[in-house]
Structure formats: structure tokens, C-alpha cells
């Protein structure tokens, strides 16, 4: 493995490294700040899962089924666009003011969402909430980078990964309980007491973490170009395969706009950097193979992770027939193993000071979990699903927070916020690609698989009732199964079974065979998604071989040496050891 050592970095510099200690904080300041940071992280990650459970009740009360996806799209658009901007601002003005501004915006948006009187108001208020949410997670993780050396940071990165896993279990459960026992508005109002406590803790007890930079120019043009490139990209990924076909002029036009403006953005940022200005995302960061490879692995594995996790509840409910009374519990085995592995990996990286072997172990276990998912089919049991989820969770947990640590360790202290938010930005883009592209693959795979699974008896039955007549009863009946929603609705199954029962024993037999074909089609579609996810995970595994390892800096590592290590890849002929 290729490793750059601290001593060798120092030997390649032209001047001796001065031993200047990094800023230190009292234990009380550190622990109380981390308590506030973890509360904010729990708040932000819970909000992403708790609202989804209440959405059916919300669209029913506000009469907004036709704008269902916009509630999520508006939030995702605003938060994704602002992530790198907040990261850069926190590097310029300090973490604390930007962090507090984000929390205030988020809590204000939460209160507005809870008070929404129409679907359009809710969509607008969710976008406003997203503007604040963009500051929460990336800056919270950057604060961890400010408070601890990379080696100490590993322990806390494991805890932050556990927070994400915990929210994935609590969110749907709490959202379902609130929706069933109170009004849906409390899924937003519940953010207020938690957020206010975190806000007060951070205001009075968080260290200033003030930026050392005196030059605080804001890159307004870069921010505008980033928004102009990200918004059409996110809209295209959200609408493709659902609102419009992937090759429709609307989607192709949005992607073309995204390419043009993102190209202009990186060209402009490069120009600013050459002038020694302050771009939002410094293109030179991508010259570091540690940073660029970590970003690539994060994006690819995030697509694979979403491709697996997003569709596991659909498989469990639709194919295995597991009750959906509390859908959050379906993923409990995966999330619990993910939490455990995240904490263990954090402890290991802190103890040994190296991360590459941990990344390899996590990726190998993840590949094993993906292979177990591939074995799932119509005849699989709930135990098969649980074993596959546990193995997958262990693999994902090992790498969940690891790449944030790797990226922070690869850049200088003054760029931690920018690097962390950039990684988050690309991770969210990967999640959006997975949601849109893999959802489209499922829909396009299911229909032909369903029709291929229909038996001769079923086809003869539809012929008998006019299956070949366009718009006839048989044609309408058959087209009603072009999506697998019937497997997820007991009420729809009861009504459909009653209709087929009118045709006597033959109708009941045909109904049973149709349900079997729907399950076969859905199982094959999800199997293809697992196959794609496995392929992406293997690509991520291969990329790991190109990831250089910079030993994690300990608490006694001088700030000057940290800067030298972070910039080691820019030295003309770095000395490498094997």
C-alpha cells in the first residue's frame, strides 16, 4: 500500500517545520459542544425520515397528491445547492455564526411547515427549511474536525455515524406514532424543543472556532453559477422516469443546462483560485488523489447503498408479505448492525491511526452483503432477509463516516469546512442519482417481467373477457397490474379478489396466479437493482487501491506539519514508502 509518512513530508520541504501547537479547548467546552453538535445531527437526520411517514396523511388533508414529490424535491434542492456555500462561508467567517444561522433558519422553517395551510405553502416552507438544513450536517462534522486531531476524531466519527443509523430507526417510528396519535403538524413542531436546546448549548458553550483569515470576500458569482448548475441537475434526476421519459426534451434540456453551468462554475472557480481569491470549491482540491478518490468512492457507494436500502422495505412488504404497520422496523437489523460497525470502525481508526485497511474490510463485507441480497427471491424467508441486512449494515457502517475523516485529514485546517461540505454535496448528488435512476430501472424492468410470468391459463382468461380489445374490460384489468401497488394495499387486494370471484373457481385461480406474477415481476426488478448495486460496490472496491494513505495526525502533531502533510501531494517529487 502506498503511504506518505510525516517524516518524509518534512524532509521534502525546503524549510524546517516549526512546532506550533494546534488550538486546544477545555474538556468541558469540548464535551458540551459535542453534545450540542450531536443533538443538531440527530435533529437534521431525523427530519429526513420522520416526515416521509406522515406524507400520506399530509397530502390527504391538504389535497395535494399531484404535488406529492415537490415536498421532498423542494427541500432537497435547497439543501443540496447551499451545502458547499455554507462550507466555504464557515471557513471564512468561522463555524459558530454559520452553524447558528443554519439552526435558526431550520427551526423557523420547521415552525412554518407545521403551520402550512395549503400544499403550495408547505412546499415553499420546506424549501426554506432546506436552506437551513444545508448548514447542519456538514458544519457539524466540520466542528468535529476543528475540536479533535484526525486520530482522536475517529472515535467521534463513529458516534456521528451511529446517530445517522439511530435516526433511520427512530424517524419512521416516531413519525408513525405522531401521525396516529396527534396531528401531522407535530412531525415539524417536534424539531423546535430539541433545536432550541441545541441552539442554547451552542450559543453559550461552543468555542468561537474563529477563522484566522482576514480576507472574507464572498464568491457571489460562483454561488450563482453553482445554483444554476445544481438546480436543473436535481430537477432532471427527480423527474426522469417519473414525470418525463429519460430521453424527453425536458430531461435532456435540464441535463444540458446543468453541464453548461457546472462547466462555467468550475472554470470560474479555477480563475479565482489562480488570482488567489476565495472560490467556493477550490479546483486544486481535486489534484489531491486522496480527496478526488474519496469523493468518487463516496458517490459510487452512496448510489449502491441507496439502491439497496431504498427498495428493501418494498421487497419485504411486496414479495415476502411482511406487515407494513411500522415500516421503520423493517430496516432495524440493518441499522443496528450499521451503528455497531460505525462505532467499532471509529475506535479502530483512532487506535491504529490508519484507515485504508478498515476501508477494505468494510467494502469486502459490503460486497458480501450485496451477494446475499442477490440470493433473495420469491421463495426466500424473513430470516434470509435479516441475515443479508445485518451483513450489509456491518459493511456500510465501517465506511459510513470514514471518508469524511480521510478527506479532513488530507486538507489543511483552514479548508476543513470546504472539504467536508464538498464531500456532502457529492454524496447527496449520488443519493439523488440512485433515487431517480434506480427507481426508473425498477419500473422499466417490472412490467415485462410481470407479463412474462403470466401463465397460459391467465392469458386465456383475459382473452375470454376481451383482453385483445383495446380499452376492453380484459385490457383494462391487465393494465391495472402494470405496477405492483396491489401487493402493498390490503384494501386493493380485497376488492380485486372480490371481482375475480364473480367468475367462479376459475377467476379465483387466475387471481392467485396474477398475484404470483406480480411478485415474480417485482422480485426480478429488485434483483436487478441489487445487481447494479453490487457492480457499483465492486467499482468502489477497485478505486480503494488508488487511495493513498496519509497516517492520521495525533493530538501532538503540530499545525505546521499538518499543513505540510495535507499539501504533500503538491510537492514535486514526494518520497513514498511501500
Amino acid at each position: 500500500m502506498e503511504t506518505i509518512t510525516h517524516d518524509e513530508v518534512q524532509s521534502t520541504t525546503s524549510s524546517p517545520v516549526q512546532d506550533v501547537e494546534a488550538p486546544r479547548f477545555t474538556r468541558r467546552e469540548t464535551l458540551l459542544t459535542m453534545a450540542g453538535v450531536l443533538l443538531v445531527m440527530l435533529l437534521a437526520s431525523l427530519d429526513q425520515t420522520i416526515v416521509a411517514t406522515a406524507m400520506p396523511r399530509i397530502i390527504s388533508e391538504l389535497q395535494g397528491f399531484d404535488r406529492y414529490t415537490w415536498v421532498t424535491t423542494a427541500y432537497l434542492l435547497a439543501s443540496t445547492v447551499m451545502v458547499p456555500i455554507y462550507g466555504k462561508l464557515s471557513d471564512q467567517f468561522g463555524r459558530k455564526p454559520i452553524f447558528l444561522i443554519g439552526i435558526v433558519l431550520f427551526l423557523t422553517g420547521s415552525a412554518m411547515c407545521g403551520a402550512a395551510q395549503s400544499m403550495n405553502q408547505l412546499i415553499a416552507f420546506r424549501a426554506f427549511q432546506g436552506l437551513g438544513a444545508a448548514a447542519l450536517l456538514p458544519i457539524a462534522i466540520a466542528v468535529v474536525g476543528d475540536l479533535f486531531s484526525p486520530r482522536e476524531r475517529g472515535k467521534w466519527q463513529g458516534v456521528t455515524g451511529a446517530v445517522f443509523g439511530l435516526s433511520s430507526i427512530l424517524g419512521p417510528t416516531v413519525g408513525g406514532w405522531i401521525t396516529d396519535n396527534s396531528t401531522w403538524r407535530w412531525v415539524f413542531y417536534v424539531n423546535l424543543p430539541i433545536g432550541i436546546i441545541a441552539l442554547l448549548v451552542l450559543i453559550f458553550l461552543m468555542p468561537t472556532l474563529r477563522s484566522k483569515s482576514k480576507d472574507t470576500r464572498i464568491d457571489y458569482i460562483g454561488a450563482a453559477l453553482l445554483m444554476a448548475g445544481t438546480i436543473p441537475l436535481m430537477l432532471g434526476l427527480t423527474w426522469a422516469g417519473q414525470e418525463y421519459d429519460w430521453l424527453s426534451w425536458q430531461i435532456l434540456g435540464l441535463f444540458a443546462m446543468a453541464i453548461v453551468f457546472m462547466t462555467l462554475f468550475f472554470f470560474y472557480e479555477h480563475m479565482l483560485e489562480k488570482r488567489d481569491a476565495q472560490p467556493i470549491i477550490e479546483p486544486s482540491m481535486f489534484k489531491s488523489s486522496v480527496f478526488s478518490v474519496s469523493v468518487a468512492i463516496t458517490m459510487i457507494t452512496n448510489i449502491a447503498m441507496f439502491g439497496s436500502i431504498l427498495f428493501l422495505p418494498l421487497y419485504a412488504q411486496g414479495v415476502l408479505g411482511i406487515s407494513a404497520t411500522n415500516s421503520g422496523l423493517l430496516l432495524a437489523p440493518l441499522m443496528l448492525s450499521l451503528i455497531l460497525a460505525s462505532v467499532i470502525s471509529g475506535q479502530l481508526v483512532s487506535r491504529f491511526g490508519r484507515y485504508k485497511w478498515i476501508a477494505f474490510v468494510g467494502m469486502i463485507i459490503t460486497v458480501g452483503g450485496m451477494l446475499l441480497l442477490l440470493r433473495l427471491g420469491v421463495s426466500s424467508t424473513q430470516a434470509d432477509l435479516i441475515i443479508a441486512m445485518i451483513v450489509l449494515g456491518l459493511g456500510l457502517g465501517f465506511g459510513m463516516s470514514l471518508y469524511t475523516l480521510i478527506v479532513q485529514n488530507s486538507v489543511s485546517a483552514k479548508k476543513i469546512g470546504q472539504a467536508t461540505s464538498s464531500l456532502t454535496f457529492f454524496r447527496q448528488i449520488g443519493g439523488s442519482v440512485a433515487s431517480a435512476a434506480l427507481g426508473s430501472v425498477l419500473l422499466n424492468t417490472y412490467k415485462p417481467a410481470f407479463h412474462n410470468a403470466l401463465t397460459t391459463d391467465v392469458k386465456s382468461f383475459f382473452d375470454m373477457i376481451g383482453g385483445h380489445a383495446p380499452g376492453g374490460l380484459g385490457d383494462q384489468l391487465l393494465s391495472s397490474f402494470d405496477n405492483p401497488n396491489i401487493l402493498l394495499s390490503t384494501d386493493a387486494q380485497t376488492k380485486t379478489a372480490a371481482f375475480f370471484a364473480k367468475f367462479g373457481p376459475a377467476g379465483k385461480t387466475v387471481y392467485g396466479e396474477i398475484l404470483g406474477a406480480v411478485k415474480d415481476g417485482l422480485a426480478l426488478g429488485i434483483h436487478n437493482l441489487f445487481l447494479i448495486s453490487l457492480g457499483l460496490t465492486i467499482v468502489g472496491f477497485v478505486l480503494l487501491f488508488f487511495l493513498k494513505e496519509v497516517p492520521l495526525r495525533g493530538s501532538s502533531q503540530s499545525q505546521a506539519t499538518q499543513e505540510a502533510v495535507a499539501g504533500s501531494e503538491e510537492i514535486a517529487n514526494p518520497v513514498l514508502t511501500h
Side-chain angles (χ1 to χ4, degrees), residues 262-275:
M262 290 304 284
T263 301
L264 289 174
F265 169 73
F266 280 105
F267 177 79
Y268 180 76
E269 298 296 277
H270 179 69
M271 182 180 68
L272 281 185
E273 190 172 29
K274 288 179 67 176
R275 295 178 179 176

Side-chain angles (χ1 to χ4, degrees), residues 511-551:
Y511 172 69
E513 292 182 356
I514 288 176
L515 277 188
V518 173
K519 285 187 177 182
D520 287 339
L522 180 59
L524 181 60
I526 295 177
H527 174 84
N528 288 343
L529 298 184
F530 292 158
L531 186 61
I532 293 172
S533 298
L534 173 63
L536 290 171
T537 305
I538 292 174
V539 172
F541 178 80
V542 172
L543 286 175
L544 271 177
F545 287 96
F546 298 93
L547 180 64
K548 293 178 181 177
E549 181 159 43
V550 179

Side-chain angles (χ1 to χ4, degrees), residues 2-12 354 549-551 561 564-565 568 575-578:
E2 201 169 35
T3 303
I4 303 175
T5 68
H6 294 304
D7 293 338
E8 288 163 338
V9 168
Q10 293 185 40
S11 70
T12 58
R354 295 182 180 273
E549 181 159 43
V550 179
T561 303
V565 173
S568 61
V575 181
L576 301 176
T577 60
H578 296 272

Side-chain angles (χ1 to χ4, degrees), residues 481-501:
F481 295 103
D482 282 348
N483 66 66
N485 286 341
I486 189 171
L487 296 177
L488 309 177
S489 172
T490 304
D491 184 55
Q493 290 181 27
T494 301
K495 291 180 179 178
T496 307
F499 174 83
F500 277 95

